[in-house]
Amino acid sequence: MRIANDLRIGNIFPLDQVMMRQPAVRARTPPWLFDRLEARTMAKNRLVSRLTHDLRSVDEAELIPFADRYRGLMDRPGYDLALLSSAGRFGFDPSDILQEAYVPGARVREYVMRGICYSAPRWHEGLLPLVREMIREEVIARARGRLDEVPEELLRFLVYMGQIDEARDILRSSDWTDTDFIFERGFLRPNAPAIPVNRIC
């Protein structure tokens, strides 16, 4: 951890991977990270930024002890948007945090989408209303041919939640068809690639 505290570090790879993947070091990483996020020290440090993003892939059981500290950070103005990506991994329903943060068309929508996709499975059903609201703003309101990562992931969430007919209806209402989307994105196919570990879309 002494090396991690060195502000002179320029190339963070593979230090961030060691801190998150090596069991002997990983257990010490969340408290180290939250100490710095709370103190707002090393605010522009690339390692802190990378580890904040990486929290979304940490097992929920390892993050639950830090739930109160996470909530405290989210109550502050100007929190790091990357914290939204791990909102559903601290043992509490992330719906309120993600709903409050969402702004249609703004950069924050990408982090809200990741927070939905990386949330623990038991929160998925409760996140459907937010997903549908975002779909109205991000898919239906967009012109044909302009679908990007955020609406794609939202539709993927519906598909993996078993709402395939709903996803197809949304595509048709936005002037896309399921045939177009299969050709462009592929995930409505029966043999679509498996989703990554710890995320649903």
Side-chain angles (χ1 to χ4, degrees):
M1 304 308 283
R2 179 181 59 81
I3 297 174
N5 287 323
D6 192 334
L7 292 170
R8 296 171 297 176
I9 294 175
N11 184 3
I12 64 170
F13 183 82
L15 182 56
D16 62 322
Q17 300 300 308
V18 171
M19 292 178 73
M20 280 299 188
R21 296 183 182 179
Q22 294 299 318
V25 182
R26 189 177 63 210
R28 299 166 59 191
T29 297
W32 179 90
L33 178 61
F34 276 97
D35 284 348
R36 277 137 194 86
L37 290 171
E38 289 166 350
R40 294 184 174 174
T41 57
M42 304 176 74
K44 297 182 180 180
N45 181 270
R46 292 175 60 201
L47 178 59
V48 169
S49 176
R50 183 66 258 167
L51 291 174
T52 303
H53 281 272
D54 289 346
L55 281 175
R56 65 193 184 187
S57 299
V58 176
D59 288 342
E60 185 184 24
E62 295 180 41
L63 291 181
I64 286 176
F66 301 94
D68 288 341
R69 299 183 72 175
Y70 177 84
R71 286 182 181 273
L73 289 171
M74 301 308 289
D75 286 338
R76 291 183 177 186
Y79 60 77
D80 188 333
L81 294 180
L83 285 166
L84 290 166
S85 302
S86 55
R89 307 207 64 78
F90 288 89
F92 60 84
D93 186 345
S95 300
D96 290 346
I97 285 176
L98 296 175
Q99 178 74 61
E100 183 177 347
Y102 175 57
V103 178
R107 178 170 171 258
V108 70
R109 69 201 246 283
E110 299 175 15
Y111 295 97
V112 172
M113 178 270 295
R114 291 176 191 138
I116 292 168
C117 290
Y118 282 91
S119 62
R122 66 180 178 279
W123 310 126
H124 293 164
E125 192 73 29
L127 286 166
L128 276 172
L130 174 57
V131 169
R132 290 178 171 125
E133 176 187 341
M134 293 180 71
I135 283 173
R136 287 194 296 272
E137 298 289 346
E138 307 291 346
V139 179
I140 296 175
R142 286 176 177 265
R144 180 187 176 94
R146 297 288 303 280
L147 291 170
D148 60 15
E149 180 186 10
V150 171
E152 176 185 341
E153 298 290 345
L154 293 169
L155 287 166
R156 191 188 298 266
F157 185 95
L158 282 184
V159 170
Y160 282 109
M161 289 294 288
Q163 308 299 316
I164 297 177
D165 290 341
E166 182 178 353
R168 286 174 171 158
D169 288 344
I170 289 166
L171 290 171
R172 294 187 182 106
S173 69
S174 61
D175 199 28
W176 280 71
T177 68
D178 54 323
T179 302
D180 293 325
F181 217 69
I182 289 169
F183 178 77
E184 293 289 336
R185 300 296 192 234
F187 66 79
L188 286 179
R189 297 193 309 265
N191 60 341
I195 57 175
V197 174
N198 278 349
R199 63 179 297 187
I200 192 173
C201 50

